[in-house]
Amino acid sequence: MDKEFIFTSESVTEGHPDKIADQISDGVLDAVLAKDPHGRVACETLVTTGLALVAGEITTKTYVDIPTIVRQTLKDIGYVKGEYGIDYETCSVLTCIDPQSPDIAMGVQEGKEGGAGDQGMMFGFACDETKTLMPMPIHLAHRLTEKLAEARKKGQIKYLRPDGKSQVSVRYVDHIPREVTTVVLAAQHDGDVPMKKLREELTEKIVKKVIPEEMLSKKLQIHINPTGRFVTGGPQGDTGLTGRKIIVDTYGGMGRHGGGAFSGKDATKVDRSACYMARHIAKNIVAAKLAKKVEVQLAYAIGVAEPVSVMVKTHNTGIVPDALLVKAVREIFDLRPQGIIKYLDLRRPIFQKTAAYGHFGRELADFTWEKKNKADELRSFVKA
C-alpha cells in the first residue's frame, strides 16, 4: 500500500437540507419512542422551498403530531425567516404515512429471538488517530461544522445563516496523519457581508480554532466560499432528502459502507442498530490496543436472528490473528437484533441528536455504542 497519501472527508451543518430531513425523520422516531418504545418507524422526509413532506411506514399505539415536530426542528436549526427559503411558522407540511408491512413485521417478533428487519451488510470502523478513535479527516470536518453552527447560534458571527459545509484533507505518511493540507469551508451568509471580512473571520474564528496548530501544514490551503457568494441555501438552494449523507454520518469514506441510511429508522432495522454495534465492537478492539485500525462487518438475513457472517479486519495492525478476534466478538457480544437493542438500550428517544455532526465519535452519555466497556474483556479473551 502507498506509504504517503492525502485523504479527504466532508461534513455538513445541521442547516444543510439533507440534514434537516434527517433531523425531522429522527424527530418523528423520537416522538414515537417517547410514548411507545416498541413502535416501528421507517420515516422519510423531503424538504424544499417552503415545503416539508414526511412519508413512510409507522406502526404505533401513540399519536404523533408530525407538523409540530417539523416546525420545531426547523426553528431549533434556525430557519426562522422567510428569506431563508423555508420558515418554520409558515411552511407547508404534508404527511403520507402507512403502517409497517405485515410481511416485514412477521419476521421481527418481539423477544430475544426476534429476527432482523431486513437483509444487508453493516460496517463499523475505529482507529487510533484521534481520542475518539475516529479517522482524523472526518473528526476535524465535523468539528468545523459544529463550530460554524455554534458561532451562528451564539451570535459570535452575526451574518451567518444555517446552511454550510466543511471539507478536510489530511496527509498521511506510513498511515499516520501528519498534517492538514487543505480546508474547505462553505458558509451561508447574509447578502450584504463583504467576502473579505467573511473569509478573514471564518479563518480566525473557525478554522484556526479547530485545526490543531501542530497539524497545520506550512503550505495549508484554505478555501472559504470559493465561488464568492453563498446567500441562497438550505431547502431553497437544494432539495433535502433523508439518508443522502451516509458517508458524513459514518467515517467520511475511510472504511466501507453497506449502503443503508440511519435516520428515521427504529432499532429493529439492522441498517441502524447493527452499524452501531459494529462501531462499538471496533472501538473496543482499538481501545483494548489489540489493533490500531479495525473494520467490522456484520451481515443479516431478514427474519433471522443470528448474523449470517461476522468479519474483523485489522489491516495488518492487529497483535493477534483476525480470526481470533472474530471468535472473541461472537463470544462476548450478543449480535442478535433484540440482543443489540437491549445491550445498547436503543428503545429510547435519543436519535434526533445523532442526525447532525456524525453518529460516531461523539462521546455523549446517550450514545451507548461509543462506550469502551468491553476492552478489558476482549483483551482477556484473546490472551486466555
Side-chain angles (χ1 to χ4, degrees):
M1 297 180 70
D2 293 338
K3 289 190 174 182
E4 182 172 339
F5 59 91
I6 294 175
F7 195 90
T8 301
S9 296
E10 72 160 347
S11 177
V12 298
T13 67
E14 63 208 64
H16 184 280
D18 293 330
K19 278 289 140 205
I20 298 171
D22 285 342
Q23 289 166 91
I24 290 171
S25 293
D26 271 336
V28 173
L29 171 62
D30 281 354
V32 170
L33 293 178
K35 295 184 178 179
D36 181 9
H38 293 273
R40 300 278 169 75
V41 180
C43 179
E44 313 292 343
T45 303
L46 176 149
V47 291
T48 188
T49 306
L51 171 68
L53 170 62
V54 181
E57 297 76 48
I58 300 177
T59 299
T60 180
K61 298 174 183 178
T62 191
Y63 168 74
V64 176
D65 185 352
I66 290 177
T68 296
I69 293 167
V70 171
R71 297 186 193 283
Q72 188 61 51
T73 301
L74 288 167
K75 182 181 180 182
D76 291 344
I77 292 170
Y79 283 101
V80 296
K81 296 181 180 180
E83 64 185 288
Y84 291 176
I86 193 166
D87 172 17
Y88 81 99
E89 290 184 303
T90 61
C91 70
S92 298
V93 179
L94 303 179
T95 62
C96 185
I97 304 296
D98 287 313
Q100 184 186 50
S101 161
D103 297 340
I104 295 174
M106 185 170 58
V108 193
Q109 309 93 351
E110 295 298 333
K112 200 169 187 179
E113 290 299 329
D118 202 353
Q119 71 176 45
M121 63 281 192
M122 297 81 201
F123 289 93
F125 186 85
C127 60
D128 64 357
E129 295 175 13
T130 61
K131 290 181 179 180
T132 58
L133 305 187
M134 286 288 284
M136 184 169 286
I138 189 66
H139 174 78
L140 293 177
H142 282 320
R143 304 295 79 79
L144 285 169
T145 50
E146 278 185 322
K147 191 71 173 175
L148 199 61
E150 178 187 342
R152 172 178 59 86
K153 289 185 168 184
K154 290 184 176 180
Q156 296 166 348
I157 305 178
K158 297 184 182 299
Y159 50 77
L160 291 177
R161 293 183 179 183
D163 199 356
K165 284 184 171 184
S166 71
Q167 188 171 284
V168 176
S169 301
V170 176
R171 185 173 71 91
Y172 286 75
V173 179
D174 294 328
H175 299 277
I176 297 172
R178 299 296 188 183
E179 62 179 1
V180 175
T181 61
T182 307
V183 172
V184 182
L185 202 59
Q188 189 188 16
H189 57 85
D190 292 342
D192 58 354
V193 60
M195 195 52 52
K196 184 175 184 294
K197 175 183 178 182
L198 181 146
R199 286 171 173 160
E200 288 176 351
E201 285 201 306
L202 266 56
T203 297
E204 294 300 321
K205 296 181 179 181
I206 307 296
V207 176
K208 291 186 178 180
K209 295 291 185 181
V210 170
I211 308 299
E213 187 175 354
E214 66 273 14
M215 290 299 296
L216 291 172
S217 170
K218 293 179 180 179
K219 297 180 180 179
L220 176 68
Q221 297 185 64
I222 300 176
H223 300 289
I224 296 177
N225 288 16
T227 66
R229 183 177 172 85
F230 186 8
V231 175
T232 301
Q236 184 180 24
D238 189 12
T239 298
L241 292 170
T242 300
R244 272 209 304 208
K245 286 290 176 283
I246 58 175
I247 300 303
V248 171
D249 285 343
T250 52
Y251 308 102
M254 193 171 288
R256 286 170 283 195
H257 196 295
F262 299 154
S263 291
K265 297 177 182 178
D266 73 85
T268 64
K269 281 74 173 173
V270 283
D271 276 347
R272 182 169 217 159
S273 54
C275 277
Y276 286 8
M277 181 58 104
R279 160 64 178 172
H280 180 65
I281 293 167
K283 187 171 184 178
N284 275 270
I285 291 171
V286 175
K289 299 189 183 303
L290 298 175
K292 297 175 71 64
K293 179 166 68 173
V294 178
E295 185 176 64
V296 174
Q297 186 200 49
L298 307 176
Y300 292 85
I302 188 168
V304 179
E306 291 287 347
V308 299
S309 70
V310 177
M311 181 200 77
V312 178
K313 188 176 180 65
T314 60
H315 303 279
N316 298 315
T317 70
I319 64 170
V320 297
D322 290 354
L324 179 57
L325 290 174
V326 170
K327 186 177 179 181
V329 167
R330 284 190 173 276
E331 179 69 26
I332 293 170
F333 298 95
D334 186 349
L335 302 177
R336 294 170 293 184
Q338 294 300 327
I340 293 172
I341 290 169
K342 182 178 179 181
Y343 174 68
L344 295 179
D345 197 8
L346 297 179
R347 295 200 184 278
R348 297 169 295 144
I350 60 169
F351 295 104
Q352 192 174 44
K353 69 183 73 171
T354 68
Y357 312 117
H359 292 246
F360 308 126
R362 298 161 63 207
E363 296 179 329
L364 306 178
D366 285 333
F367 288 22
T368 50
W369 50 93
E370 290 297 316
K371 291 182 178 179
K372 296 175 280 190
N373 55 308
K374 292 292 185 178
D376 289 344
E377 192 173 350
L378 280 163
R379 195 181 301 110
S380 296
F381 184 94
V382 301
K383 292 182 178 179

